[in-house]
Protein backbone atom coordinates (compact mmCIF):
# COMPACT_ATOMS: atom_id res chain seq x y z
CA UNK A 1 0.00 0.00 0.00
CA UNK A 2 1.22 3.50 -0.69
CA UNK A 3 0.47 4.44 2.92
CA UNK A 4 3.35 2.31 4.22
CA UNK A 5 6.48 4.01 5.45
CA UNK A 6 9.77 2.13 5.41
CA UNK A 7 12.84 3.40 7.18
CA UNK A 8 16.37 2.08 6.95
CA UNK A 9 19.95 3.23 7.46
CA UNK A 10 23.24 2.48 5.76
CA UNK A 11 21.74 0.44 2.95
CA UNK A 12 23.40 0.78 -0.41
CA UNK A 13 21.24 0.45 -3.49
CA UNK A 14 22.85 -0.07 -6.85
CA UNK A 15 21.28 1.91 -9.70
CA UNK A 16 20.56 -1.37 -11.53
CA UNK A 17 18.20 -2.30 -8.70
CA UNK A 18 16.03 0.78 -9.09
CA UNK A 19 12.88 0.28 -11.10
CA UNK A 20 12.54 2.96 -13.70
CA UNK A 21 8.98 3.10 -14.99
CA UNK A 22 6.26 5.65 -15.52
CA UNK A 23 4.23 5.43 -12.30
CA UNK A 24 1.55 7.70 -13.77
CA UNK A 25 0.34 4.78 -15.91
CA UNK A 26 -0.54 2.87 -12.73
CA UNK A 27 -1.37 5.63 -10.25
CA UNK A 28 -5.13 5.78 -10.83
CA UNK A 29 -5.63 2.02 -10.65
CA UNK A 30 -3.45 1.77 -7.54
CA UNK A 31 -5.45 4.53 -5.87
CA UNK A 32 -8.75 2.89 -6.77
CA UNK A 33 -7.40 -0.44 -5.53
CA UNK A 34 -6.67 1.18 -2.17
CA UNK A 35 -10.19 2.58 -2.13
CA UNK A 36 -11.54 -0.92 -2.81
CA UNK A 37 -9.55 -2.16 0.20
CA UNK A 38 -10.98 0.66 2.31
CA UNK A 39 -14.46 -0.37 1.17
CA UNK A 40 -13.79 -3.92 2.36
CA UNK A 41 -12.52 -2.63 5.70
CA UNK A 42 -15.58 -0.41 6.12
CA UNK A 43 -17.97 -3.28 5.34
CA UNK A 44 -16.35 -5.47 7.96
CA UNK A 45 -16.13 -2.67 10.51
CA UNK A 46 -19.77 -1.63 10.08
CA UNK A 47 -21.14 -5.18 10.13
CA UNK A 48 -19.08 -5.81 13.26
CA UNK A 49 -20.57 -2.66 14.79
CA UNK A 50 -24.06 -3.99 14.13
CA UNK A 51 -23.12 -7.22 15.90
CA UNK A 52 -21.88 -5.22 18.90
CA UNK A 53 -25.16 -3.32 18.98
CA UNK A 54 -26.98 -6.66 19.23
CA UNK A 55 -25.10 -7.40 22.45
CA UNK A 56 -25.78 -4.03 24.09
CA UNK A 57 -28.82 -4.36 26.37
CA UNK A 58 -29.53 -0.61 26.36
CA UNK A 59 -29.58 -0.44 22.58
CA UNK A 60 -31.65 -3.62 22.29
CA UNK A 61 -34.21 -2.13 24.67
CA UNK A 62 -34.46 0.95 22.41
CA UNK A 63 -34.99 -1.29 19.38
CA UNK A 64 -37.65 -3.40 21.10
CA UNK A 65 -39.73 -0.28 21.77
CA UNK A 66 -40.04 0.76 18.13
CA UNK A 67 -40.54 -1.45 15.07
CA UNK A 68 -39.63 1.47 12.78
CA UNK A 69 -36.17 1.56 14.34
CA UNK A 70 -35.81 -2.18 13.81
CA UNK A 71 -36.63 -1.72 10.12
CA UNK A 72 -34.09 1.11 9.81
CA UNK A 73 -31.42 -1.11 11.32
CA UNK A 74 -32.38 -3.86 8.86
CA UNK A 75 -32.01 -1.32 6.03
CA UNK A 76 -28.54 -0.55 7.33
CA UNK A 77 -27.55 -4.22 7.41
CA UNK A 78 -28.94 -4.81 3.92
CA UNK A 79 -26.97 -1.88 2.47
CA UNK A 80 -23.80 -3.11 4.14
CA UNK A 81 -24.28 -6.63 2.83
CA UNK A 82 -24.85 -5.28 -0.69
CA UNK A 83 -21.66 -3.21 -0.46
CA UNK A 84 -19.74 -6.21 0.84
CA UNK A 85 -21.00 -8.38 -2.04
CA UNK A 86 -20.03 -5.69 -4.56
CA UNK A 87 -16.54 -5.37 -3.07
CA UNK A 88 -16.06 -9.13 -3.11
CA UNK A 89 -17.28 -9.33 -6.71
CA UNK A 90 -14.93 -6.58 -7.89
CA UNK A 91 -12.04 -8.11 -5.93
CA UNK A 92 -12.70 -11.47 -7.53
CA UNK A 93 -12.70 -9.89 -11.00
CA UNK A 94 -9.48 -8.06 -10.14
CA UNK A 95 -7.86 -11.35 -9.04
CA UNK A 96 -8.84 -13.00 -12.33
CA UNK A 97 -7.77 -10.06 -14.49
CA UNK A 98 -4.71 -8.09 -13.31
CA UNK A 99 -5.32 -5.55 -16.10
CA UNK A 100 -8.82 -4.74 -14.86
CA UNK A 101 -9.56 -1.00 -14.97
CA UNK A 102 -11.12 -0.21 -11.62
CA UNK A 103 -12.38 3.15 -12.87
CA UNK A 104 -15.15 1.18 -14.59
CA UNK A 105 -16.45 0.15 -11.15
CA UNK A 106 -15.80 3.29 -9.10
CA UNK A 107 -17.45 4.64 -7.04
CA UNK A 108 -17.99 1.39 -5.19
CA UNK A 109 -20.74 2.81 -3.00
CA UNK A 110 -18.77 3.17 0.21
CA UNK A 111 -19.38 6.90 0.61
CA UNK A 112 -23.12 6.49 0.13
CA UNK A 113 -23.44 3.48 2.43
CA UNK A 114 -21.21 5.07 5.11
CA UNK A 115 -23.34 8.21 5.14
CA UNK A 116 -26.53 6.17 5.41
CA UNK A 117 -25.04 3.88 8.06
CA UNK A 118 -24.10 6.73 10.38
CA UNK A 119 -27.30 8.69 9.73
CA UNK A 120 -29.48 5.69 10.54
CA UNK A 121 -27.61 4.89 13.75
CA UNK A 122 -27.83 8.54 14.81
CA UNK A 123 -31.59 8.54 14.11
CA UNK A 124 -32.23 5.35 16.05
CA UNK A 125 -30.07 5.73 19.14
CA UNK A 126 -29.24 8.55 21.57
CA UNK A 127 -25.91 10.19 20.79
CA UNK A 128 -24.35 9.29 24.14
CA UNK A 129 -25.19 5.60 23.62
CA UNK A 130 -23.96 5.26 20.03
CA UNK A 131 -20.90 7.54 20.06
CA UNK A 132 -18.62 4.75 21.29
CA UNK A 133 -19.09 3.02 17.93
CA UNK A 134 -18.06 6.06 15.90
CA UNK A 135 -14.32 6.23 16.63
CA UNK A 136 -13.43 5.58 12.94
CA UNK A 137 -16.27 7.60 11.45
CA UNK A 138 -14.02 10.28 9.90
CA UNK A 139 -11.95 7.67 8.11
CA UNK A 140 -14.95 6.27 6.26
CA UNK A 141 -16.68 9.57 5.56
CA UNK A 142 -13.56 11.24 4.26
CA UNK A 143 -14.23 12.84 0.89
CA UNK A 144 -11.02 13.98 -0.70
CA UNK A 145 -10.70 15.98 -3.88
CA UNK A 146 -9.21 13.09 -5.85
CA UNK A 147 -12.14 10.79 -5.11
CA UNK A 148 -14.58 13.57 -5.92
CA UNK A 149 -12.91 14.08 -9.31
CA UNK A 150 -13.16 10.34 -10.05
CA UNK A 151 -16.84 10.39 -9.05
CA UNK A 152 -17.59 13.46 -11.24
CA UNK A 153 -15.86 11.86 -14.22
CA UNK A 154 -17.71 8.56 -13.74
CA UNK A 155 -21.05 10.38 -13.36
CA UNK A 156 -20.49 12.03 -16.75
CA UNK A 157 -19.74 8.68 -18.37
CA UNK A 158 -22.82 7.03 -16.84
CA UNK A 159 -24.95 10.04 -17.91
CA UNK A 160 -23.72 9.74 -21.49
CA UNK A 161 -21.88 13.06 -21.42
Amino acid sequence: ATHCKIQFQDVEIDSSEILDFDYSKYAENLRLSEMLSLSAVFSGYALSTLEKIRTNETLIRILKEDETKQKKLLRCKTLLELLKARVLEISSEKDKNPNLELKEYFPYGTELVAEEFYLILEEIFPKEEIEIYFHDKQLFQYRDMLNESYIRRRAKVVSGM
Side-chain angles (χ1 to χ4, degrees), residues 87-101:
V87 168
L88 291 174
E89 179 184 351
I90 295 168
S91 294
S92 176
E93 288 297 317
K94 188 173 170 255
D95 289 345
K96 292 175 194 167
N97 179 4
N99 297 319
L100 185 72
E101 291 289 328

Side-chain angles (χ1 to χ4, degrees), residues 38 45 118 134-143:
L38 182 64
Y45 161 79
Y118 290 114
F134 286 3
H135 53 86
D136 289 327
K137 181 179 180 179
Q138 296 305 88
L139 173 65
F140 300 119
Q141 288 195 310
Y142 180 66
R143 289 192 177 248

Side-chain angles (χ1 to χ4, degrees), residues 3-124:
H3 295 27
C4 295
K5 182 177 181 181
I6 300 172
Q7 294 180 342
F8 53 90
Q9 294 178 358
D10 303 323
V11 176
E12 291 185 27
I13 300 174
D14 187 70
S15 62
S16 66
E17 295 172 337
I18 297 173
L19 298 175
D20 185 24
F21 66 93
D22 184 6
Y23 176 77
S24 65
K25 293 179 185 175
Y26 308 98
E28 181 179 43
N29 226 34
L30 288 173
R31 167 67 181 199
L32 295 176
S33 182
E34 288 179 349
M35 297 309 299
L36 185 63
S37 296
L38 182 64
S39 297
V41 169
F42 171 71
S43 297
Y45 161 79
L47 287 166
S48 170
T49 298
L50 293 183
E51 285 302 312
K52 289 175 185 174
I53 287 170
R54 289 175 42 144
T55 63
N56 183 312
E57 289 180 26
T58 304
L59 301 180
I60 291 299
R61 196 169 31 259
I62 291 168
L63 288 169
K64 284 182 179 178
E65 294 170 358
D66 189 344
E67 189 176 318
T68 303
K69 290 180 179 183
Q70 295 169 27
K71 287 180 181 178
K72 285 182 179 183
L73 200 63
L74 176 60
R75 173 187 165 96
C76 221
K77 186 170 183 351
T78 302
L79 289 171
L80 289 166
E81 288 174 344
L82 288 169
L83 176 63
K84 179 182 173 184
R86 177 168 168 73
V87 168
L88 291 174
E89 179 184 351
I90 295 168
S91 294
S92 176
E93 288 297 317
K94 188 173 170 255
D95 289 345
K96 292 175 194 167
N97 179 4
N99 297 319
L100 185 72
E101 291 289 328
L102 290 173
K103 67 183 177 185
E104 301 300 322
Y105 298 89
F106 190 82
Y108 309 122
T110 310
E111 295 88 353
L112 177 68
V113 174
E115 285 175 13
E116 194 70 10
F117 172 74
Y118 290 114
L119 282 173
I120 287 173
L121 292 184
E122 289 168 348
E123 285 176 17
I124 295 174

